[in-house]
Amino acid sequence: MPPEKYTSIDYHTAGEPFRIVANLPVALEGPDVPSKRVFAMNSPQVERIRQILCFEPRGHVDMYGGFVTAPNDDGAHFGVLFWHKDGFSTACGHGTIALGVWALEHGIVQPDPTGVTDVVIDVPSGRVVSRVHTDAHGAVTHADFINVASYVISKDVAVQTARGEVAVDVSFSGAIYAQLDAASVGLSVTPENYGEIIAIGREIKWALNDSAHAQHPSDARLSGIYGTIVFEDLSTGGEVIQRNATVFADGEVDRSPCGSGTRARVATLTNRGFLTKGQLLQHGSIVGSQFQAVVLEHQQVDGDSAVIPQVTGTAYQTGEHTFIVDPRDELTPGFVLR
């Protein structure tokens, strides 16, 4: 039997990897992207390919990527199914930024001569925009991620942990995030505390994942705690400055400030009165990379206050790959150690 081959174009957004697979050799069935996600989650073939591309030895425990697919309709350029080591997520901000940059740099979408090009993408949680900015020479400078409405679900939720009882806020921003002030458990968001941040993040996620606080109000497919944002406030004067480590899926740590997680923080900070429309949030990551975020508008969603935030960052290509799977390889589809 000849070896299997899978091709990808890899980017990183603020340090977080994103592996783009534009030609999946398996049909993703379903009338829209949310349905395609459900199909992928239940397809042994698609699951096997996800594992091959994400697991060691071709990937690693914190790998992230997406399968490009058809959009819901002709109002979007394409659709995408986001994936990580534990399955398929409903949203991914850093991936949306990377996809916008990829679409222009690889001719999928032609750049607008004004220097601002909207790449419209259907994702499992809705239709999003990667607004890509280019300079006079056509080179990408940065991209704005404009997502679905973001809002607070619950505030001051008590959670029992190994560090005692903690209080977290829960917000939806395409995925549902719990948010913990690092100082409340004696931590700061630095690489030295990496292991302890993972531990508390996982503990909070699984404590709340099946609770009423993790229920999406209108689409059960979006329910569940996707991640825990462990944040540290570094604000000075009138500037809102925070640093975070987002522990998503089951113990993965976002190297970027987390695109959809940043939006969750914008929703929470706005709800609590710490951020106003047009005011900038400087949002850092555990590795020192930065996103900027701002509220574009306020909306009502299911009778509750919501915001449309814009998150700004950029992405850079790191490689193009043809992955080989030898039929004799007993370690296929691969392995993870966490």
Side-chain angles (χ1 to χ4, degrees), residues 13-215:
T13 305
E16 179 70 359
F18 193 73
R19 179 159 286 167
I20 300 169
V21 181
N23 297 297
L24 190 68
V26 177
L28 294 167
E29 298 179 15
D32 53 27
V33 171
S35 301
K36 287 178 170 63
R37 174 176 178 259
V38 174
F39 171 83
M41 292 167 64
N42 292 284
S43 166
Q45 284 181 293
V46 179
E47 270 286 278
R48 181 175 178 276
I49 296 170
R50 176 188 65 81
Q51 293 171 0
I52 287 169
L53 295 173
C54 190
F55 289 4
E56 295 183 54
R58 297 167 189 86
H60 53 81
V61 71
D62 294 295
M63 177 54 70
Y64 216 114
F67 296 141
V68 177
T69 187
N72 297 344
D73 54 53
D74 59 9
H77 291 102
F78 52 85
V80 65
L81 299 184
F82 299 118
W83 47 258
H84 47 70
K85 79 171 176 68
D86 295 302
F88 292 87
S89 59
T90 59
C92 177
H94 90 274
T96 300
I97 290 172
L99 285 163
V101 176
W102 163 78
L104 260 68
E105 291 185 338
H106 289 266
I108 310 302
V109 176
Q110 293 304 307
D112 192 292
T114 64
V116 181
T117 306
D118 280 359
V119 179
V120 184
I121 309 168
D122 283 331
V123 309
S125 56
R127 180 161 287 175
V128 301
V129 173
S130 184
R131 182 163 292 156
V132 184
H133 298 255
T134 50
D135 63 20
H137 304 287
V140 173
T141 58
H142 61 282
D144 305 320
F145 165 45
I146 304 167
N147 194 7
V148 297
S150 304
Y151 50 87
V152 173
I153 296 175
S154 300
K155 292 192 291 188
D156 296 319
V157 179
V159 182
Q160 293 293 335
T161 75
R163 291 174 174 266
E165 183 176 287
V166 300
V168 302
D169 295 332
V170 179
S171 297
F172 174 78
S173 56
I176 298 175
Y177 291 92
Q179 299 144 80
L180 173 72
D181 186 342
S184 70
V185 290
L187 293 174
S188 59
V189 180
T190 61
E192 292 76 18
N193 292 321
Y194 183 74
E196 292 177 273
I197 290 170
I198 291 174
I200 191 71
R202 293 175 89 178
E203 198 172 358
I204 291 169
K205 173 195 168 88
W206 294 119
L208 293 178
N209 193 59
D210 296 322
S211 72
H213 304 291
Q215 300 305 305

Side-chain angles (χ1 to χ4, degrees), residues 188-190 230-232 234 241-245 283-286:
S188 59
V189 180
T190 61
V230 181
F231 69 88
E232 183 174 11
L234 305 171
I241 305 170
Q242 297 199 339
R243 179 169 59 209
N244 87 97
H283 211 211
S285 76
I286 195 169

Side-chain angles (χ1 to χ4, degrees), residues 12-16 92-98 142-145 240-244 246 254-263 266 280-285 288-294 310-315:
H12 85 84
T13 305
E16 179 70 359
C92 177
H94 90 274
T96 300
I97 290 172
H142 61 282
D144 305 320
F145 165 45
V240 183
I241 305 170
Q242 297 199 339
R243 179 169 59 209
N244 87 97
T246 299
D254 201 323
R255 274 74 174 137
S256 82
C258 187
S260 52
T262 296
R263 296 176 60 87
V266 168
L280 199 67
L281 167 65
Q282 299 279 3
H283 211 211
S285 76
S289 56
Q290 295 283 325
F291 285 159
Q292 293 182 330
V294 66
Q310 173 181 282
V311 177
T312 300
T314 195

Side-chain angles (χ1 to χ4, degrees), residues 1-5 324-327:
M1 292 178 59
E4 297 172 59
K5 293 185 178 182
I324 305 295
V325 180
D326 191 307

